[in-house]
Amino acid sequence: QQEVAEGVMRIAVSFPPANNAWQAKMLDSALDEAAKDVDEFHFVIKNAVDDADQLNILTTFKEDAYDMIICLPGNGTLMTPICEDIYDAGIKLIIVDRPIDSDKYTALLGGDNYLCGSNAAKYMGDRLGGKGDIAILRSYVGIPIDLDRYNGFADVIKKDYPGINIVVEADGQFNQDAGLNAMSNILPAYDKIDAVYCQDDEAAVGAITAIENAGRTDVQFVTGFGGSKAAYKLLSEGNPIFGASMSYWPTMGGRALALGKSIFRGESFEKINHDPTFVVTKENVGEFHQHSY
Amino acid sequence: MENIKQKNSFLQLVSRVWKNYSIVVVFFVILIICGIAAPRFLRPNNLLNILRNTSIVGIIGLGMTFVIIAGGIDLSSGPVLATSGAALIALQKMVTESGDPAMPLIVPILVCLAISTGIGFANGIIITKAKLPPFIVTLAVGIIARSVVMYFCRGATIMGNKIPEFTNIGNGSIFRIPIPFIMAIVLALILHVTLTRSKFGTYVFAVGGNEKAAKYSGIKVDRIKIATYMIVGFCTGLAAVIEMSRMAAVAATSSGMQYEFEAITAVIIGGTSLNGGKGRLIGTIVGFIILGIVKNMMIMLNISPYLAGAVKGAVILFAVLIQRREK
Amino acid sequence: MENIKQKNSFLQLVSRVWKNYSIVVVFFVILIICGIAAPRFLRPNNLLNILRNTSIVGIIGLGMTFVIIAGGIDLSSGPVLATSGAALIALQKMVTESGDPAMPLIVPILVCLAISTGIGFANGIIITKAKLPPFIVTLAVGIIARSVVMYFCRGATIMGNKIPEFTNIGNGSIFRIPIPFIMAIVLALILHVTLTRSKFGTYVFAVGGNEKAAKYSGIKVDRIKIATYMIVGFCTGLAAVIEMSRMAAVAATSSGMQYEFEAITAVIIGGTSLNGGKGRLIGTIVGFIILGIVKNMMIMLNISPYLAGAVKGAVILFAVLIQRREK
Amino acid sequence: MSKLLEMQGICKSFYGVEVLHAVDFSLEKGEIRALCGENGAGKSTLMKVLSGIYEQNDGEVHFKNVHIKRTAEPLEVQAYGISMIHQELNLFDDLTVAQNIYLCREPKGKNGLIDFSEMNMEASRLLKRLGESIDPKTPVRELKIAQKQMVEIAKAISFNVELLIMDEPTAVLTGKETEIMFNLMRSLSEDGISIIYISHRLKEITEVCHSVTVLRDGSYIDTKKVADVTEKDIATLMVGREVQHSSIGDFSGDEDDVILEVLGVTDNMLDDVSFSVRRGEIVCFSGLVGAGRTELMEVIFGIRRPESGQVLIDGKPVTVKSAIDAIKIDIGLVTEDRKDTGLVLCRDITENSNYVFWRKNKGIFKGVKKTRSNTGGMIERLNIKCAGSDQDVANLSGGNQQKVALAKWLLSDAKVLILDEPTRGVDVGARQEIYQIIRELAESGIGIVIVSSDMQEVMSVSQRVVVMHEGRKTGELKCSEMEEEKIMYMATNV
Ligand SMILES: Nc1ncnc2c1ncn2[C@@H]1O[C@H](COP(=O)(O)OP(=O)(O)OP(=O)(O)O)[C@@H](O)[C@H]1O
Ligand SMILES: Nc1ncnc2c1ncn2[C@@H]1O[C@H](COP(=O)(O)OP(=O)(O)OP(=O)(O)O)[C@@H](O)[C@H]1O
Ligand SMILES: [Mg+2]
Ligand SMILES: [Mg+2]
C-alpha cells in the first residue's frame, strides 16, 4: 500500500496503451524520471488499454485526490471532459503531447504532429522539385495522431506542391512488419513511386527493406517520423533511400514529469510549451542519437 | 437406505450451492484480499467508481450471456457500439438556428438503440439463414461496421453537445449509486427474469443445448437465435448511450475497441460455457466486477504498467480455476 | 429403385467433391475477378509477393487447424510469436569481442522454437489438467506472454544482427519462390500427412468430434489435446523465425499483433468448423492466401483506407458463404 | 477351475449418491450371461466400472486372476481383453466406418502410416460377417441408427476379446439383425469368449443366454441358469412383483372416424405409401431396418418434404412444413434417437418434459406451479427414477431418459401421437406401464402410430400392424390376424 509520508507530493500519470515503440519510450523515460527524487515525490504511472479505460483511470486518479495529474490523452477530444473536471477539482494538470479541446490545464508540453507532417511535406516537395508520385504509409488510419500527421502533410502538399500526386495510401501501423508488408504490396501495383511518406520511423524501416528486396530504383527516398533507433541507425549508416526522419521525441514523457516537479518546487513556467520539431537527416543525425527510442 | 438418501441430498445441496454460487465466493475472497492489500480500495468512492467504470462492458456482457447460452458468440459489439454511438452523437449535436438541440434527447437515443438492435438482427439473420458460423459472421460484420463508421467520420473524433441531461446519464448518480450501474442492475433483473422465468429463456437454453431436439420440440430455433443477437445488440446500444454520454464524443477508430473480448471474458469468468446450453447472469455480473477490480487494483498497487497484463491474465485464470475446480 | 439409387450416388459424389473442394473453386473465382479488376494483380512478382506476405500467418494457421479440429482454440499466438521472437533476437544479436555472432544461428532458432512449443505445452496442460475452457486460458496466457516480453524489452523495438544467412530466411527466394512460402508448403505437406494418414491425426479428429467417445475408445484425450497446442506453438515459433528474419528486429509491443485472429479467420474460411471434429489443411492454405489477396487488392484498386475493412469483411462473408451454401 | 471374471463388493457413487451397493458378479469362460434389472438399476454403471470408465468407490475386480487396478484406463482394460458396446452410441460422425471400427488399432503400413486399404478391407469383411453391406469408407454421419449400432458391434468384435460386454445392443435393431447377432454370439461363446449381455427384451435372454444375473436398485439380487427360469420369473425378480402381460383386441371404435390419413407419399426413400388411423386406434409399423418407417413418420411430422402425396387430418388436407406446423395441428412425434433429436441432455427433467407444453400454451412465462405439477405427475406416472425434477437428463439412466422423451409428448395434448421405438431401453415393468398409458390415450380418442422393431411389442400393443419393406407398404394385418411369421414374411417381402 502506497500511503505516503507527510509532505511528499503525489503525482499520477496517465498514458494511452504502450502499443508502439514511441509510446513505450515515453513510458520508459517517465519511469526513469519517476525513480528520481523519491523522497519528494510519489509517482503512479498507468497505461490505459483504450479510451474508456483512460477515462476510468483518470476518474480513479481524481477520486484518489492526487496533487497533480499528468495526462497524455490517447484521444484529446474524448479526454476533454474529464480533464476539465480534474482541473475544476483543483488538481494540477499537465497535458502532454496532444492538446485537449479546452484550456483548463496548468501546463501543456505539446509535441506537434501537424507541424512535423508539414515539415515532411516541405522536405519532400523541395527534394522532388515540386512534382512526382508518392505513397503514404499511415499510422493506424483514423486515430488522432494519424490524422494530425496526415493532415499536416496533405494540407501543405495541396497548397504548395500541386504537382505532387498522392497515388496510394496504406497502413504502416507503427511497426516494421506492417511497413514491410504494406510497401511490398504497393510496389508491384505501381511502376513508378518517387517517394514514400511514412508516418512512423519503424514503418519507414520496413518500407525501405521492401524497396531493397524488390530491387526498385525508382523510389528516390523515404521519410520517416518520430525518431526511432532503427531509423537513426539507417541514417547514420548513410542508407541511400532514407531521406529524413521528422522527429520529436518521446523523452518528453520524462520532461513532463520534470516540469511537474519544478511546478511544485515553485519554479516559474510557461503554460504552453511546444517541444521543438526537427528534420533529422544523414547530416545532422549525429547530434540526436541520445533522444532516439 | 433412507439415511443414505438424506445424507446424500444434503451433500448434493452443498455441491449444488457451490456449483451455482462459487463465483460469488470467489468474488468475496478477491474483495477481502484487495481490501487487505490496499485499504484505500475499500473506500466507498473507489468501490462506486469501479461499479461505474465496469457497467458499460457489463451491460454488453449481459446480452452476450444470452448469445453464448444459445450457442453463439458476438464479436461485433465494439464496432457496433461505435456505429450506433456515432449516430447518437451526430443527431445529438444538431442544433437549431437559435442554438437549442434540434430534437429532444430521446430521439437520438432511440435511433442509437434501433441501429444497434438492427445490426444484431442482421447478425442473426445471416447466421441462421445462411447457416454460417457466428464467430466469422460477427467478426466480419464488426469489421464492416467499424469501417463504415470510420468512412463517415473520416476517422475523426466527433464532439457532441455537452448538455447536462445527456452527460448525466453516464456521469451522474442517484443516492450516490452511479446511474450506469443502476441501469446495468435494472437490465440484469429484467434479463434474469426473462432467462429463468419466461418460456423464451428456456428455449434459449434448449437451442444452445441441443438445436435439433429443440427443433423437433417445435421451438422456432432461428427466431430464438436471432432474438439473442438482437438482445446483445440492444444491450450494446445501451452501452453506447452511456459511453457517449460519459465523453459527449465518439471516436470512430477507437470507441468500443476490444469491448467484445472484455464482455466475453466476463461471461466466461461468470461460469457460462462457450459450448452453450448452460449459464447464468449473476455470474456475468460478478465477472465484470472482478475485471473492474483487477484494473482498479493495478492502479492502487502501482503495478508496473509492463506487468499489468501478467497480473490481469493471472487473475482471470485464477477466477475461472477456482470455480471450475469441483468438476 | 435401382435407378434412383444410382442417381443418388452420383449426386452424392458431386456433392462430396464440392463439399471438399469448394474452397478451391472459390479461390479461382476470386483470382479471376481480381485479375480482371486489376491486370497488374496477375504479374508473377505480385503473386509471389502475396505468397511471401501471407506465409507467416499461414504457418500459424496450419497449426491452428489442428487445435480447432481437436475442439480447441488458441488466442495466444500473437504474443507467443513476440515472446519467442524476442528470445531469438536477443540471442542472435549477441556477439563475441571480435564482433562475430556469439553462437551459430541454429541455436537462437532452436531456442525460439523451444519457447513457443513450451508455451503451447503450458496452454495444453492448463486446459486439460485444470479442465478450463481453451478460449479463456489461451487469452490469459497470451496477455501474460505479451506483458512479460514488454517487461523484458521495456516495450522497445530490439534490433538484431543483420547477417545475410538470417535475413535470407524471410526475404530470400529459391527459383523465385519465396522461402517462407516454401517453408509453409513443406510444413503443410508434413502436417497433411500427419492429419490424414497417421493414427495421431485420426485421434485429433476423434477428440474434436466426440471427446467422451474418444475416451471410451481408449484414446489419451489429454495427450492429444496437449499435442495440438504444442503443434500450434511450434508453428508459431517457425512463424516467429521468419518474421524476425524479415526485419532482423522484434517489437515487444506490436510483433504478431492480431495474428491469432488472422489465422483463425483463415482456418474458418478454409472450411474447418470451430465445433471441432472436421476440417482440412488445404482449406487453411487457400484461406490465408485469400486473406493476402484481399489486402493486396485493396492497394491495387487504391480503396480508401477507411473502407478497407468493409471490403475485407464482405470478402470473408462471401468466401464462407459460397462454400457453405450446399449445407 | 477359477472364474474368468470376479467382481466383489463393487460400490459406486455419483455426487455422494450411491447407485451400486456392494455388487458381486462373476463369470465363467465361454459363458453368455444376461444382466437384467429395471431402468436405473445400475447395469450400465456396473459395466462402466468393469471397462475402466468409472472408478469404483469400493470393491475389487479380478480378471483371469489378475487384479485390475481401480484406476485402470479404458485402454488398459481393453488390453486385458475386455471390450464394451455402450448403451449410447459412441461413434465419430465425421470419421469413416472403418476408421471408427479400428480406432486406436489402425493397421500400420511399412511407412508407419495407417494402411487404409488394409483397414477398409478388414472392415468390410467384418461387416459382411454381420450381414451388413455398408461401404467402410462412408462417414458414420450418413448411416441410420441401426447401421450405426452394427458398426459398434463390428468394432467390439474386431478386438482380440475374451470378454465382450453388450449394453442393450438390440434396442435399435430389428429381428433380422438381431438373429445375425445372436448367431455371432453363439459362435463367439463356442470359441471360449464370454459375453455379458444387457437387454430389456426378456425373450432374447431366454433365447441366447446361458444364465442371468438380476440387479435391483443397485443391489445384487440373484443369478440363475436360464434353463431354470421363465421370462416371467426374471421379470418378477427384476421388479420385485409380478408383471402382468396383456394383449389388446381389434379396434372396436367407429371404423369411419379417420383422424389421420396418408395418401401416396413418395420421395427418394418412400414409394407410394398410404395408410390411415382412426380416432382411438393404435397402429404399429413393422419392418426391417431401412424399411423407411422413420422417414414416413418424418413426412407426417413435417421434418421431411415428400415429392408427392398428401397428409389429411380429420379428412382435411394439411401442409406440414415443420415440426412447428405439426405441433400446431396436434401431431406429436417421439423420435427414435433420444440423444440426437429427443432431449436437451444438459437441461433438467422439468424443462425437457415441458417444451411442447409451453409451446402449445399461450403466455410469456413458464408458469411455475403448472410446470411443477406437470413434471411431478409425469415422474410419478412413468416412474422416472431421478434425484429430483431438477436433475440434468444427461445423468439419468438410458431407460429413464427415454421416459422423459415420452413425457414431453404426453404433456402435449396431441390428437395424433407418433411413437418411433417408444420403449427403446425401457425395462419390462415400465414397458407394461407405458403400454397401459398408450391404451388409455387411445381410449381417450387419440390416434396412435407406433414404429417398433420389437415383435413382442407389436404383438401386445397394436390393434393393427402395417408392414413395410424398402420404402413400400407390403401388408396390413388386424390384431386378430397377426402372427409373427406372417409379419416377418411381409417385412422381408419374399
Ligand atoms: N454420470 C452420472 N451422474 C449421476 N448419476 C448417474 C450417472 N450415471 C448414472 N447415474 C445414476 O445411476 C443410476 C444407475 O444408472 P445406470 O445407467 O447404471 O442404470 P441402468 O441399469 O443401465 O438403466 P437402463 O436400463 O435404464 O439403462 C441411475 O439412477 C442414474 O440416474
Ligand atoms: N442420411 C441418410 N444417408 C444415407 N442413407 C439414408 C439416410 N437416411 C436414411 N437412409 C436410408 O434410407 C432407408 C430407410 O431408413 P429408415 O431409418 O427410414 O428405416 P426404418 O424402417 O425407420 O428403420 P429403423 O427401424 O432403423 O427405424 C435406409 O436404406 C437407410 O439406409
Ligand atoms: Mg443402462
Ligand atoms: Mg427408424
Side-chain angles (χ1 to χ4, degrees), chain B residues 12, chain C residues 212, chain D residues 12-15 17-20 36-48 54 87-88 167-168 198-200 215 218 338 385-387 391-403 424-427:
Chain B
Q12 266 182 322
Chain C
K212 204 163 146 202
Chain D
K12 173 70 196 168
S13 311
F14 292 109
Y15 309 113
V17 185
E18 193 173 85
V19 300
L20 288 178
C36 286
E38 287 181 284
N39 295 132
K43 305 178 294 294
S44 301
T45 306
L46 183 65
M47 291 301 112
K48 284 182 181 167
Y54 291 156
Q87 184 171 12
E88 308 294 339
D167 194 349
E168 298 196 43
I198 302 178
S199 175
H200 289 294
L215 295 183
R338 58 177 173 251
K385 205 162 278 171
C386 58
Q391 188 173 0
D392 283 356
V393 172
N395 295 337
L396 294 179
S397 81
N400 285 305
Q401 289 182 357
Q402 182 68 29
K403 292 180 191 170
R424 190 179 149 198
V426 174
D427 68 59

Side-chain angles (χ1 to χ4, degrees), chain D residues 249-414:
Chain D
D250 282 351
F251 178 61
S252 57
D254 183 353
E255 293 279 338
D256 298 326
D257 193 6
V258 173
I259 186 161
L260 168 71
E261 187 157 21
V262 173
L263 292 174
V265 167
T266 304
D267 68 10
N268 59 353
M269 301 286 176
L270 299 167
D271 188 5
D272 192 23
V273 185
S274 305
F275 75 96
S276 61
V277 181
R278 300 174 199 96
R279 207 176 294 281
E281 188 184 26
I282 305 172
V283 177
C284 267
F285 274 73
S286 189
L288 303 180
V289 170
R293 296 165 300 169
T294 297
E295 277 76 1
L296 180 61
M297 301 309 146
E298 286 180 351
V299 166
I300 300 170
F301 196 61
I303 303 286
R304 272 175 86 92
R305 213 73 64 75
E307 280 154 26
S308 64
Q310 239 183 358
V311 177
L312 291 83
I313 298 282
D314 281 331
K316 281 186 286 282
V318 289
T319 32
V320 187
K321 288 197 206 133
S322 65
I324 298 158
D325 292 350
I327 289 167
K328 229 177 257 163
I329 55 173
D330 297 331
I331 302 177
L333 170 68
V334 177
T335 56
E336 67 176 335
D337 188 345
R338 58 177 173 251
K339 209 170 149 189
D340 188 39
T341 52
L343 299 168
V344 182
L345 290 174
C346 65
R347 304 307 299 174
D348 63 19
I349 299 173
T350 307
E351 288 186 16
N352 271 286
S353 43
N354 283 288
Y355 286 135
V356 183
F357 175 79
W358 285 325
R359 284 290 302 148
K360 292 196 77 160
N361 288 277
K362 291 208 171 66
I364 296 172
F365 294 102
K366 293 190 276 193
V368 177
K369 251 196 213 142
K370 184 69 189 148
T371 303
R372 191 179 301 145
S373 75
N374 274 348
T375 319
M378 277 301 143
I379 290 176
E380 201 167 316
R381 192 164 166 203
L382 295 172
N383 193 15
I384 299 172
K385 205 162 278 171
C386 58
S389 60
D390 58 353
Q391 188 173 0
D392 283 356
V393 172
N395 295 337
L396 294 179
S397 81
N400 285 305
Q401 289 182 357
Q402 182 68 29
K403 292 180 191 170
V404 176
L406 205 58
K408 176 168 73 179
W409 293 103
L410 294 181
L411 284 168
S412 77
D413 278 329

Side-chain angles (χ1 to χ4, degrees), chain B residues 64-92:
Chain B
M64 192 69 83
T65 312
F66 275 75
V67 172
I68 291 179
I69 289 176
I73 197 161
D74 186 358
L75 299 181
S76 69
S77 307
V80 170
L81 184 137
T83 314
S84 54
L88 169 62
I89 292 289
L91 293 177
Q92 186 264 357

Side-chain angles (χ1 to χ4, degrees), chain D residues 144-145 289-290 292-295 336 420-421 451 453:
Chain D
K144 298 300 296 179
I145 188 163
V289 170
R293 296 165 300 169
T294 297
E295 277 76 1
E336 67 176 335
D420 198 348
E421 310 286 3
V451 175
S453 303

Side-chain angles (χ1 to χ4, degrees), chain C residues 47-163:
Chain C
L47 296 177
L48 291 172
N49 177 45
I50 292 175
L51 296 183
R52 184 190 302 277
N53 286 346
T54 53
S55 294
I56 294 175
V57 168
I59 287 174
I60 299 176
L62 294 175
M64 192 70 83
T65 311
F66 274 76
V67 172
I68 291 180
I69 290 176
I73 197 162
D74 186 358
L75 299 181
S76 69
S77 307
V80 170
L81 183 138
T83 313
S84 54
L88 168 64
I89 291 291
L91 294 177
Q92 186 264 357
K93 76 174 196 168
M94 283 185 192
V95 285
T96 57
E97 274 169 30
S98 63
D100 295 330
M103 57 193 95
L105 189 55
I106 189 73
V107 177
I109 290 178
L110 288 180
V111 170
C112 169
L113 292 174
I115 290 178
S116 64
T117 314
I119 300 180
F121 178 72
N123 274 328
I125 286 283
I126 301 175
I127 288 164
T128 53
K129 300 307 170 195
K131 296 195 172 50
L132 298 183
F135 188 98
I136 207 81
V137 170
T138 55
L139 187 74
V141 167
I143 295 175
I144 296 172
R146 174 72 70 189
S147 165
V148 168
V149 67
M150 296 241 297
Y151 183 75
F152 280 111
C153 299
R154 307 246 90 200
T157 301
I158 297 179
M159 280 184 282
N161 222 338
K162 244 189 161 184
I163 44 175

Side-chain angles (χ1 to χ4, degrees), chain D residues 154-177:
Chain D
K155 176 176 177 178
I157 61 168
S158 72
F159 285 89
N160 214 346
V161 290
E162 290 183 55
L163 171 59
L164 180 58
I165 305 164
M166 307 172 91
D167 194 349
E168 298 196 43
T170 54
V172 296
L173 299 183
T174 54
K176 194 179 106 205
E177 289 93 16

Side-chain angles (χ1 to χ4, degrees), chain D residues 171-190:
Chain D
V172 296
L173 299 183
T174 54
K176 194 179 106 205
E177 289 93 16
T178 309
E179 204 43 56
I180 293 172
M181 204 190 75
F182 285 173
N183 287 332
L184 182 87
M185 285 166 69
R186 290 188 191 104
S187 83
L188 288 174
S189 149
E190 274 158 28

